[in-house]
Amino acid sequence: MMRLLTKLSVLALSVSFFSGVARAQNGIDWPRYQDMAVELMQQYLRVNTSNPPGNEIEAARFFKKIFDEHGIENEIFEYKPGRANIIARIRGNGSKRPIILLSHTDVVTAEPASWEVDPFAATIKNGFIYGRGALDMKGEGLLHLMTMILLKREGPSLSRDVIFLGTADEEVNDEGSLWMIANKADLFKNAEYLLTEGGDNLLEGDAVKIVGVDVAEKAPFWLRVTATGLPGHGSRPVRDSATNRLIRAMGRILDWETPVRLSPAVEQFFKDVAPLQSEPLRSQFANIRESLKNPSFVQSLTSQREYNFLLRNTISITMLSGSKQTNVIPNAATCNLDVRLLPGESPDEFLKALKAVIADPSIKIENVNRFKPPNSSPIDTELFSLIARKTKENHPGAIVTTKMLSGYTESQLYRQLGITAYGWAPIYTTPDQDEGVHGNNERIAVDNVRKGTREFYEVVKDISR
Ligand SMILES: [Zn+2]
């Protein structure tokens, strides 16, 4: 969807961005907090938590110092040298279950030579703060931090605890969250809600057009397929050699059209974005369940990469290996499959279906990643409605919709505890800025840090009333 529409500069947002403000005066000195947000954003981006090696203890100490200054209870867990998580809490009266604000504090590495500025200097240039992690996801972590400070200092009465959770190592092995869940889950497992990364927003012209709340993600189920057979000299072909068997198997995998399944989140997404399409797509999206009964519509929709993954389990053949020498027929050949399962799918069922497709019992298939079950969060919640309502107040004309990501987020881990987890933050980017995520010149608009501080706080405050 992102690429179908034109995105323009985030700076052009200023008119619609804050239209709900004037009538919502409640005495908060916003300019002061917004100055603080920009200053702390810069400080946080200067903490180098490139992973590897991570060194997230420095991020944890950065947060601890601020929490201590503001009298916010907090604790660091250094689960191995230099690797640490931090949790902080503002207490409510306990009549509602907590909300968790989750961010990972590590960032991917940066190649300074390819950047316009030092990736860890937090330089402000042309209205943007540059830094590795500005979008993934120190910008969101900063909004979480500002919300904690605001809740503490402004002291609205809260029905639930608001928990800040900063975790290490999301970008590599996800050890930080796995460790917290294995060892300290008592501190947060009774939460009702969690907000983290994964939201996906679209600007068109000077208006926020779509705000995507991530409610589900595909789950990686990586497989290695191994064929074996008689080895020999390449000059005397073996009809059922390992390589030949593997190639036949791969051909069947490629030809396999995995079944189309429409999940509630994806159905909602198509309905929500229907008004942005022209006919006949508009009607087809609006009635997506019905439309998918038409094979030629399925064919045309799934031929588009941005829609295909929403509707089915997908398979990409990625790694291949056979002989190391041209004249040697190997006794084994392998390929790896990057399989991504829809929420609710069973890996065992998928394997069974795949084996039937390959139809060669001599071929071995094994799972080669740590599989985390795909799951999703309900859409009909107070938090989802609140995000939708506040977003429309701040951005009249915006469509708030559900997103299912092709990639993984930590929401999957926390949903297993019974927590409703969404990817959402009021951070709005152009495709050009999105390139900075895991790329070069990652940056966040100063204006977005300032206004996002207020937007995020108001949602967390209102859901915790
Ligand atoms: Zn991230």
Side-chain angles (χ1 to χ4, degrees):
M1 204 66 227
M2 297 289 281
R3 272 154 214 88
L4 296 183
L5 297 161
T6 318
K7 281 182 154 197
L8 294 180
S9 167
V10 74
L11 293 175
L13 270 177
S14 49
V15 180
S16 62
F17 203 59
F18 239 35
S19 59
V21 170
R23 59 189 154 69
Q25 277 314 326
N26 53 5
I28 294 180
D29 182 357
W30 283 108
R32 209 175 110 247
Y33 283 109
Q34 289 165 333
D35 290 347
M36 187 194 289
V38 173
E39 171 60 31
L40 292 177
M41 180 78 270
Q42 287 184 287
Q43 289 180 19
Y44 187 22
L45 289 173
R46 289 178 189 132
V47 179
N48 187 339
T49 50
S50 299
N51 187 13
N55 205 28
E56 297 91 342
I57 184 73
E58 292 305 328
R61 287 182 186 137
F62 163 80
F63 285 120
K64 181 170 186 49
K65 183 162 172 284
I66 298 164
F67 288 138
D68 286 348
E69 277 167 15
H70 291 278
I72 297 168
E73 62 173 277
N74 69 86
E75 190 174 1
I76 290 179
F77 300 102
E78 189 173 6
Y79 61 87
K80 63 164 78 160
R83 314 303 300 269
N85 303 319
I86 181 165
I87 192 166
R89 183 184 305 260
I90 307 273
R91 290 189 188 272
N93 67 20
S95 60
K96 290 183 184 166
R97 291 153 61 205
I99 180 168
I100 301 171
L101 313 179
L102 171 70
S103 64
H104 62 82
T105 60
D106 62 323
V107 296
V108 293
T109 55
E111 199 58 67
S114 310
W115 284 54
E116 291 167 21
V117 293
D118 179 344
F120 295 98
T123 309
I124 295 184
K125 196 177 132 183
N126 301 329
F128 289 89
I129 311 174
Y130 282 70
R132 172 56 87 220
L135 298 176
D136 184 11
M137 65 173 290
K138 285 182 167 171
E140 290 185 47
L142 183 276
L143 299 186
H144 298 175
L145 171 68
M146 288 307 301
T147 290
M148 298 297 279
I149 293 171
L150 275 152
L151 289 172
K152 183 68 183 186
R153 293 181 73 102
E154 300 299 326
S157 62
L158 300 177
S159 56
R160 61 174 99 235
D161 289 7
V162 178
I163 298 171
F164 174 101
L165 185 53
T167 54
D169 196 40
E170 190 273 345
E171 296 288 3
V172 179
N173 288 318
D174 223 0
E175 284 177 358
S177 273
L178 289 169
W179 188 92
M180 283 308 279
I181 290 168
N183 296 284
K184 296 289 168 188
D186 283 349
L187 297 176
F188 53 82
K189 71 177 182 198
N190 66 328
E192 180 176 10
Y193 294 121
L194 178 146
L195 289 173
T196 189
E197 66 184 342
D200 190 9
N201 303 324
L202 169 71
L203 298 178
E204 191 184 45
D206 61 355
V208 176
K209 199 77 183 169
I210 300 179
V211 173
V213 179
D214 158 37
V215 299
E217 305 83 29
K218 302 287 280 288
F221 181 49
W222 294 349
L223 302 175
R224 182 184 298 127
V225 179
T226 305
T228 49
L230 204 61
H233 196 284
S235 64
R236 301 175 63 179
V238 176
R239 188 167 175 74
D240 281 326
S241 69
T243 40
N244 291 354
R245 277 178 182 278
L246 184 73
I247 289 164
R248 287 185 201 115
M250 287 193 300
R252 292 181 200 117
I253 293 169
L254 282 178
D255 289 342
W256 183 27
E257 297 278 339
T258 56
V260 166
R261 290 201 185 123
L262 188 64
S263 67
V266 172
E267 181 170 17
Q268 191 60 47
F269 166 75
F270 278 109
K271 287 180 173 167
D272 290 337
V273 300
L276 301 176
Q277 318 299 321
S278 45
E279 291 294 356
L281 219 48
R282 181 185 297 216
S283 311
Q284 286 165 330
F285 278 19
N287 304 293
I288 187 71
R289 189 166 289 281
E290 213 39 48
S291 309
L292 287 173
K293 291 176 182 161
N294 174 353
S296 69
F297 176 73
V298 171
Q299 191 60 44
S300 87
L301 196 63
T302 57
S303 67
Q304 299 172 64
R305 289 172 72 195
E306 69 265 43
Y307 297 130
N308 183 50
F309 79 87
L310 295 172
L311 295 164
R312 52 163 44 132
N313 300 328
T314 58
I315 307 170
S316 288
I317 299 177
T318 52
M319 299 164 73
L320 285 173
S321 75
S323 176
K324 300 254 184 293
Q325 276 181 269
T326 306
N327 61 356
V328 174
I329 297 171
N331 62 2
T334 68
C335 70
N336 283 29
L337 308 179
D338 183 351
V339 173
R340 304 281 169 146
L341 298 182
L342 288 167
E345 292 284 312
S346 142
D348 292 341
E349 289 297 315
F350 180 85
L351 260 189
K352 213 189 285 174
L354 180 66
K355 281 178 179 157
V357 165
I358 290 175
D360 181 345
S362 74
I363 283 185
K364 201 174 87 186
I365 307 172
E366 55 194 322
N367 172 221
V368 291
N369 70 335
R370 184 172 50 203
F371 179 74
K372 300 167 192 132
N375 51 29
S376 58
S377 288
I379 307 164
D380 57 341
T381 65
E382 198 190 339
L383 180 56
F384 194 99
S385 314
L386 180 64
I387 290 170
R389 195 172 70 242
K390 294 298 257 183
T391 301
K392 283 172 185 162
E393 276 175 29
N394 290 318
H395 311 283
I399 288 172
V400 180
T401 187
T402 51
K403 282 274 174 167
M404 182 174 69
L405 302 190
S406 59
Y408 165 83
T409 79
E410 293 190 315
S411 288
Q412 286 184 11
L413 294 177
Y414 293 86
R415 287 199 194 104
Q416 291 174 56
L417 305 175
I419 301 170
T420 294
Y422 294 138
W424 173 75
I427 293 176
Y428 308 98
T429 53
T430 63
D432 191 43
Q433 292 158 37
D434 291 339
E435 302 271 304
V437 175
H438 291 220
N440 302 323
N441 302 316
E442 189 175 354
R443 61 200 182 277
I444 184 167
V446 173
D447 208 39
N448 203 156
V449 170
R450 298 182 72 87
K451 290 165 180 170
T453 294
R454 180 167 187 165
E455 279 195 47
F456 193 81
Y457 167 72
E458 290 188 340
V459 165
V460 176
K461 183 198 67 174
D462 284 3
I463 196 66
S464 307
R465 260 204 246 269

